[in-house]
Amino acid sequence: MKNPFDLLKKTIVLNGQSYAYYSLPALQNQGFGEVDRLPYCMRILLEGLLRNCGKKGFTEEHVTRLGQKNNPESNSVLFLPYRVLLQDFTGIPVLNDLAALRSAAAEQDIDPQTINPVIRTDLVVDHSLQVDFTACERAKEMNEKMEFKRNQERYEFLRWSEQAFENLHIVPPGNGIIHQINLEYLAEMVAVNRSDGEQTLIPDCVLGTDSHTTMINGLGVFGWGVGGIEALAAMLGYPIEFNIPTTVGLRLVNQLPETCSPTDLTLTVTSHLREHGVVGKFVEVFGEGVANLRLEDRAMISNMTPESGATMTYFPVDERTIEYFRLTGRSKEKAALVEAFFKAQNLFRSTESIDPNYDELIELDLSKVEPTLAGPKRPFDLIPVRKMQAAFTTSLKEPTGLHGFGLSEENRRKTFSLSTPSGQAALSHGAVVLAAITSCTNTSNPAVLLGAGLLAKKAVEKGLTVPAYIKTSFTPGSQVVDAYLQKSGLLPYLVKLGFQVGGHACATCIGNSGPLSAEVEEILKQGLLGSAVISGNRNFEGRVHKSIKACYLASPLLVIAYAIAGTVDIDLSTAPLGDGKDGSPIFLADILPSRVELQEYLNYIDTETYQQTYQNGLSGSEQWKQLNSAEGALFGWDTKSSYLLEPPFVNDFFDTQANIQNARVLGFFGDSITTDHISPAGKISTASDAGEYLQSLGCDANDLNTYGSRRGDHEVMVRGTFGNPRLRNKLVPGKEGGITLLFPDSQEMSFYEASLKYKELGVPVILIAGKQYGTGSSRDWAAKGPFLLGVRVVIAESYERIHRSNLVMMGILPLQFIEGNNADALGIHGSEIFNISDIKGIHEPGQIIQVQMKNENGNLTEFPVITRLDTPVEFQYYRSGGILPAIFADLKKGKV
């Protein structure tokens, strides 16, 4: 079909080259409306609707809907990204599913080589390195050696995938994390599509299988995180459908105080947005305060978007954006093209720009921000440094839950003896046992890393040290960080305090923190409530380390400060960090670098540093190059593998037309159940169902690796579902871990064991939850795992965006309690029997249906719920049994 908007094409001539583009100003001149008053992010969405009109699913109506967004009858639009971005923990399952589609195609006598990504797809291997070795000269070398030993089979699969699939590029391990490499190297800002002798400009739009893909919004790139199954659909050319979101304008005014870091601002913005309520919304940042932020500051704020609940946190392109694009080594010609395109499209923000019309407006005064942490269990629970001691004391007393640990008064007074090289140390609750300057949120920003280096320099010069029992680590987001820390002369001071570079990967923040010392593990088992302080973006229970209950997010500067202090049970605004070499008390204020000092060190960063880092195009190490990799169009599945099995999702699916009769509750949860609770990423315990299964295959008990690394093996992952040691299931009150009850006899067992019993009995199972179900990572295994356990339905008070979508894509029906209603109000205990007889009658998104509940006394209760199939396409995917069966059906019809 011919694109009816071809008439809006204009051209840019630059350096003797002519480039076409679909002009937004021309659309406004045609009477569409005030395009120049739309939020910048919505203008980019509109450009995609213009450019793709006539392609799969795109119609003129989608264009007009942006001007009629409050029309409940037609509120959905389509989006097809320019590229897809994967990391290995979430990306290998995507490629696993893609390989399975090829195998299924071959069985149907369909040419498997017809199945390929049709858009650019990059996979960055960055989630598999564990911090086994730290605070020693060879830490990086030894950690990387262990990484390859553990993950050789997975990496060989990636090498096969790169040769088998078109449009797929693998960034080998050791180069850095996905988000920083995306920011510094992969992102194009504007791409050139060459077709039929014409060069057409396309805004660089991206979907990523890491929820923090939004970091690139700081560079003015449109995109967000999705589940792997949704990313696979986009890779195969299926557009993403969603309801036009509410846009929230976040106005920033003034500038940060001298004592505040960009991390303090980032945590404050995250909490501010979460408090306002931005789940599923587009946030766009504007105001005079934006000009006072470095590009890397903006990227940090955008990175934390999933923690606020928003879909995007977008910073429009301006002069600072173009300056950063040039600084990071992009060519002058490409930077000029980017600037010309964004200005021609009225997508370039300047001091003369008129503020867009936002659906909602909020404001943040940067001058009111103060040094801050977030925790102890959620990334948006803000604690100013001056209130940290009081907050921690309160958390010890509060009942076990989102904020408390439920310790008795007697327990709170306990101390624990630890043997150290310098003698016995008496530790009390709050003792720091893990301090990590980890990647993602912070290591894109030289301001906080050079700041940390300066703080370390002053601390070392004054004679401060970090206790030897604290596990310290530093895993930068790219090798650029090493370069400027070495140039500045600050790296040796970080090393002196134990923050030796241990590798370039996600590491601690994903749960790959590695082992604590045996002595520290022992006193944690004895009851010490130890703490972790990390510069990452997530601190959900059981995520960073299964033995550490309290985890706080903080700037790299504060990570070092609390490591020196040795405890979070301290007010660093008034109490000293310790005594200096002359015996005098040293306070945090004594070692904090000034803005003037920091600026001097920021001058060590230049274009040459970036060019030298990326001049070889991110080639792999010798270990990577020497990997054996199979060739051919079909992957040779090994049924004895414990890492890569042919997944069952293409042909196995629910009959979503069938009503649910006599269902039991497999899990009954409260608020803020995260994807880490549902499908852990950390180390596999020998005593878990997954651990016992792996050992039955002959895997060594010391080499079980992590759930994240085993995501290509559904047999491991189904056994690990709901296996988080900090999970609280209301069916077993007072207990933590992956346990539930089997009804009607109320037998206690693991989720996996209970699911097998229910399957044997032919009993369907459901989940019940509170608010914010599925907060956190975009991992599709948080939906795939419950699918394999037999979960047909989830009933929750509210959902986080990505997880709700993942449930639909697996054929699991997300239902939502009517506002004002919940499990408590309905008197649900979890022992009831549930019937849902309206499933066959679901015919549209958002339909209200009835759930019938029968308690142990035979009393019946009926209550309404909302079907959270939010768009027509989601409804179709659900009816097909999920997106993979739908894709395979299209494949058999020759539509892929």
Side-chain angles (χ1 to χ4, degrees):
M1 174 182 172
K2 182 176 174 59
N3 188 335
F5 296 107
D6 281 348
L7 295 173
L8 298 179
K9 277 187 179 181
K10 302 293 181 183
T11 58
I12 292 172
V13 178
L14 199 65
N15 297 323
Q17 296 285 317
S18 180
Y19 304 94
Y21 65 97
Y22 286 81
S23 172
L24 294 175
L27 178 67
Q28 178 166 316
N29 292 338
Q30 290 292 320
F32 175 81
E34 293 184 302
V35 176
D36 58 0
R37 297 305 303 276
L38 286 174
Y40 290 85
C41 56
M42 299 300 283
R43 296 179 213 177
I44 294 178
L45 178 61
L46 178 59
E47 187 278 342
L49 296 175
L50 294 178
R51 177 169 35 83
N52 289 306
C53 191
K55 296 180 181 177
K56 185 183 291 187
F58 286 88
T59 66
E60 291 182 65
E61 185 183 356
H62 289 117
V63 175
T64 61
R65 283 179 187 176
L66 280 183
Q68 304 169 348
K69 61 179 296 185
N70 295 318
N71 181 354
E73 299 299 321
S74 56
N75 195 32
S76 66
V77 290
L78 300 181
F79 169 58
L80 187 64
Y82 163 65
R83 59 191 175 100
V84 166
L85 187 62
L86 315 170
Q87 41 96 331
D88 54 311
F89 268 17
T90 52
I92 284 180
V94 171
L95 299 181
N96 217 33
D97 290 345
L98 199 60
L101 279 170
R102 278 197 169 184
S103 297
E107 291 175 7
Q108 297 285 328
D109 294 325
I110 300 169
D111 182 2
Q113 295 191 75
T114 60
I115 302 171
N116 281 295
V118 296
I119 60 177
R120 174 184 159 188
T121 303
D122 296 290
L123 186 149
V124 180
V125 185
D126 69 340
H127 273 53
S128 297
L129 181 130
Q130 297 182 44
V131 187
D132 294 287
F133 304 96
T134 186
C136 63
E137 188 177 347
R138 296 178 58 225
K140 177 178 180 292
E141 175 190 342
M142 292 189 291
N143 285 332
E144 289 181 349
K145 186 175 181 181
M146 285 296 295
E147 175 189 3
F148 272 82
K149 180 181 177 183
R150 290 185 177 117
N151 297 286
Q152 181 171 334
E153 186 178 349
R154 298 170 66 241
Y155 291 174
E156 288 174 349
F157 173 69
L158 290 176
R159 294 292 301 276
W160 170 82
S161 297
E162 190 169 34
Q163 66 82 37
F165 297 114
E166 297 173 8
N167 297 315
L168 174 66
H169 173 236
I170 308 293
V171 176
N175 284 291
I177 65 159
I178 181 174
H179 311 300
Q180 192 160 348
I181 290 173
N182 192 22
L183 192 72
E184 295 175 353
Y185 181 72
L186 295 176
E188 296 186 51
M189 292 192 69
V190 172
V192 180
N193 178 46
R194 295 174 175 85
S195 179
D196 298 327
E198 184 176 61
Q199 298 186 117
T200 303
L201 298 179
I202 302 172
D204 180 7
C205 301
V206 61
L207 291 176
T209 59
D210 191 299
S211 53
H212 296 103
T213 299
T214 51
M215 188 169 183
I216 205 64
N217 299 160
L219 191 67
V221 173
F222 184 91
W224 57 87
V226 295
I229 38 188
E230 203 167 359
L232 175 59
M235 288 161 62
L236 295 176
Y238 288 76
I240 305 299
E241 183 183 39
F242 56 95
N243 288 331
I244 301 170
T246 298
T247 54
V248 180
L250 172 61
R251 179 189 284 116
L252 301 183
V253 298
N254 297 322
Q255 62 179 341
L256 287 176
E258 177 85 9
T259 57
C260 285
S261 74
T263 312
D264 301 321
L265 171 60
T266 297
L267 295 175
T268 301
V269 168
T270 302
S271 180
H272 194 60
L273 291 174
R274 175 65 74 165
E275 185 178 349
H276 176 79
V278 295
V279 173
K281 299 176 183 179
F282 282 5
V283 175
E284 188 166 283
V285 190
F286 72 110
E288 63 187 70
V290 175
N292 296 319
L293 300 181
R294 293 166 51 84
L295 189 289
E296 296 94 335
D297 300 345
R298 304 176 188 183
M300 287 174 66
I301 293 169
S302 295
N303 179 289
M304 290 290 279
T305 297
E307 283 62 57
S308 75
T311 300
M312 286 200 312
T313 306
Y314 186 78
F315 286 82
V317 173
D318 61 10
E319 289 291 350
R320 183 151 284 188
T321 316
I322 304 301
E323 288 171 7
Y324 179 83
F325 200 66
R326 293 193 186 102
L327 170 69
T328 48
R330 277 76 167 206
S331 70
K332 293 179 181 178
E333 293 76 17
K334 187 59 181 284
L337 182 62
V338 168
E339 185 171 0
F341 173 77
F342 277 87
K343 286 182 174 178
Q345 288 282 49
N346 201 12
L347 291 169
F348 192 92
R349 181 181 57 197
S350 69
T351 53
E352 290 78 33
S353 297
I354 302 171
D355 290 340
N357 294 323
Y358 297 107
D359 299 314
E360 298 171 12
L361 272 175
I362 52 179
E363 183 173 291
L364 180 65
D365 185 344
L366 301 185
S367 68
K368 301 293 179 62
V369 176
E370 56 183 312
T372 292
L373 297 89
K377 302 180 183 184
R378 300 191 301 183
F380 44 82
D381 291 333
L382 214 61
I383 308 172
V385 167
R386 60 184 172 82
K387 294 183 178 180
M388 183 63 194
Q389 186 170 35
F392 181 74
T393 301
T394 300
S395 73
L396 294 179
K397 294 184 283 188
E398 282 194 10
T400 302
L402 296 177
H403 305 100
F405 299 103
L407 300 188
S408 66
E409 185 176 351
E410 179 184 4
N411 194 340
R412 295 197 298 272
R413 292 197 298 266
K414 279 186 179 180
T415 59
F416 301 82
S417 181
L418 177 71
S419 296
T420 72
S422 56
Q424 293 296 115
L427 303 186
S428 56
H429 297 306
V432 175
V433 295
L434 187 151
I437 302 176
T438 189
S439 55
C440 207
T441 313
N442 288 285
T443 60
S444 66
N445 198 332
V448 291
L449 290 172
L450 287 166
L454 273 168
L455 183 142
K457 180 176 185 290
K458 293 186 176 188
V460 169
E461 289 172 347
K462 289 183 180 295
L464 294 175
T465 59
V466 172
Y469 58 81
I470 296 177
K471 181 165 188 175
T472 52
S473 63
F474 180 24
T475 51
S478 87
Q479 295 182 25
V480 172
V481 178
D482 304 49
Y484 62 65
L485 284 174
Q486 287 168 350
K487 272 187 182 181
S488 66
L490 295 176
L491 189 57
Y493 296 102
L494 290 165
V495 171
K496 186 81 172 176
L497 293 179
F499 294 94
Q500 173 78 40
V501 172
H504 298 87
C506 189
T508 299
C509 193
I510 192 60
N512 290 351
S513 51
L516 301 173
S517 70
E519 294 80 9
V520 169
E521 280 280 12
E522 180 56 34
I523 62 169
L524 292 175
K525 287 178 183 176
Q526 291 172 17
L528 172 71
L529 200 149
S531 65
V533 185
I534 71 170
S535 68
N537 47 32
R538 293 218 168 112
N539 54 347
F540 300 128
E541 295 177 283
R543 177 184 174 96
V544 168
H545 194 287
K546 65 178 183 178
S547 300
I548 300 174
K549 294 185 177 181
C551 181
Y552 297 90
L553 305 183
S555 70
L557 294 86
L558 289 178
V559 169
I560 297 173
Y562 280 98
I564 292 170
T567 182
V568 297
D569 188 10
I570 188 173
D571 177 0
L572 289 185
S573 67
T574 59
L577 294 164
D579 293 334
K581 54 190 174 187
D582 61 358
S584 61
I586 307 297
F587 294 84
L588 177 59
D590 297 328
I591 61 173
L592 275 177
S594 70
R595 192 167 288 164
V596 172
E597 288 176 301
L598 181 57
Q599 186 56 53
E600 180 184 338
Y601 277 83
L602 286 170
N603 293 330
Y604 283 101
I605 302 168
D606 54 26
T607 300
E608 185 182 0
T609 304
Y610 288 95
Q611 289 174 333
Q612 288 177 347
T613 299
Y614 292 110
Q615 63 185 348
N616 295 322
L618 300 172
S619 60
S621 65
E622 285 305 311
Q623 288 174 289
W624 176 262
K625 294 172 183 175
Q626 291 172 10
L627 286 172
N628 294 320
S629 62
E631 296 183 356
L634 295 175
F635 183 68
W637 303 104
D638 181 356
T639 57
K640 296 180 181 179
S641 173
S642 61
Y643 279 102
L644 296 161
L645 293 179
E646 186 171 3
F649 306 119
V650 175
N651 294 309
D652 292 359
F653 53 91
F654 297 131
D655 177 5
T656 53
Q657 305 289 329
N659 292 322
I660 294 175
Q661 301 294 324
N662 301 318
R664 289 289 187 177
V665 177
L666 184 64
F668 183 15
F669 309 114
D671 295 343
S672 293
I673 292 297
T674 71
T675 52
D676 281 279
H677 285 121
I678 304 167
S679 184
K683 188 175 180 181
I684 298 173
S685 166
T686 54
S688 65
D689 285 330
E692 290 176 355
Y693 167 74
L694 287 169
Q695 290 171 87
S696 75
L697 298 180
C699 296
D700 188 277
N702 296 317
D703 197 25
L704 301 184
N705 215 332
T706 64
Y707 285 108
S709 67
R710 300 276 185 183
R711 285 183 188 159
D713 184 341
H714 57 275
E715 295 289 357
V716 172
M717 297 307 295
V718 66
R719 289 166 171 81
T721 302
F722 297 113
N724 188 306
R726 299 287 168 249
L727 179 69
R728 284 182 291 278
N729 181 0
K730 290 185 178 182
L731 297 181
V732 283
K735 296 185 178 181
E736 291 185 331
I739 48 177
T740 192
L741 294 182
L742 180 76
F743 296 107
D745 299 328
S746 298
Q747 292 176 267
E748 190 174 294
M749 60 186 66
S750 72
F751 280 85
Y752 177 67
E753 291 172 321
S755 75
L756 293 180
K757 295 285 186 183
Y758 283 129
K759 285 178 182 177
E760 287 175 10
L761 297 170
V763 175
V765 292
I766 67 172
L767 304 173
I768 296 176
K771 300 182 184 70
Q772 299 171 2
Y773 183 70
T775 300
S777 298
S778 63
R779 64 192 66 164
D780 51 7
W781 265 107
K784 286 178 173 178
F787 169 86
L788 292 178
L789 290 177
V791 173
R792 291 279 312 275
V793 163
V794 179
I795 309 176
E797 288 184 66
S798 64
Y799 296 87
E800 290 292 282
R801 174 187 60 85
I802 299 176
H803 183 62
R804 185 205 59 79
S805 176
N806 281 341
L807 291 173
V808 174
M809 297 300 178
M810 288 308 301
I812 297 174
L813 181 62
L815 300 176
Q816 187 165 309
F817 291 108
I818 299 292
E819 188 172 353
N821 217 355
N822 57 27
D824 289 340
L826 292 165
I828 296 174
H829 298 288
S831 57
E832 299 86 355
I833 292 173
F834 291 81
N835 294 318
I836 308 175
S837 55
D838 288 346
I839 289 181
K840 285 185 178 179
I842 299 174
H843 59 273
E844 63 183 5
Q847 187 173 332
I848 293 177
I849 63 173
Q850 299 295 317
V851 176
Q852 188 185 72
M853 175 178 71
K854 182 168 69 174
N855 67 17
E856 293 170 317
N857 298 321
N859 297 323
L860 293 177
T861 302
E862 194 166 83
F863 58 92
V865 290
I866 304 168
T867 57
R868 288 299 309 277
L869 305 173
D870 288 357
T871 68
V873 167
E874 284 191 345
F875 176 78
Q876 293 170 19
Y877 285 153
Y878 172 71
R879 279 298 188 217
S880 299
I883 193 168
L884 284 172
I887 290 173
F888 191 56
D890 282 351
L891 181 69
K892 289 190 284 188
K893 296 173 186 174
K895 293 183 178 180
V896 176

